[in-house]
Amino acid sequence: MIRIENGKKKMGRPTTEPKIHVARLRLSEAEKQKLDECCRLTGMSITGVLKLGIDKVYNDYLQK
């Protein structure tokens, strides 16, 4: 994790939506295998698959 101190900005591309939150989770072996398979089938990263899952659950909830 990078901390910004004394008004110094971190290096990198400027963004309008900085990613400042970190989430961790523990997976069973079966859940990890499913996640790996999703990544293999879609060609997406673990982060991409998890973000897509969040969007799917959120959108499904809004449609109810």
Side-chain angles (χ1 to χ4, degrees):
M1 179 182 294
I2 298 174
R3 293 180 185 232
I4 300 173
E5 297 179 18
N6 299 328
K8 295 179 184 176
K9 293 184 179 183
K10 67 179 183 177
M11 295 183 61
R13 284 189 190 167
T15 179
T16 57
E17 287 189 53
K19 311 269 189 293
I20 59 172
H21 300 283
V22 177
R24 293 181 54 182
L25 71 149
R26 295 170 59 104
L27 300 172
S28 69
E29 186 61 34
E31 291 167 331
K32 177 65 167 109
Q33 288 176 357
K34 288 177 187 177
L35 180 56
D36 289 343
E37 184 69 2
C38 288
C39 292
R40 187 185 70 76
L41 292 170
T42 63
M44 297 171 69
S45 66
I46 290 173
T47 300
V49 170
L50 294 175
K51 287 180 178 182
L52 185 63
I54 291 168
D55 288 341
K56 179 169 178 28
V57 170
Y58 184 77
N59 290 331
D60 288 353
Y61 179 77
L62 291 179
Q63 290 178 0
K64 290 183 180 182

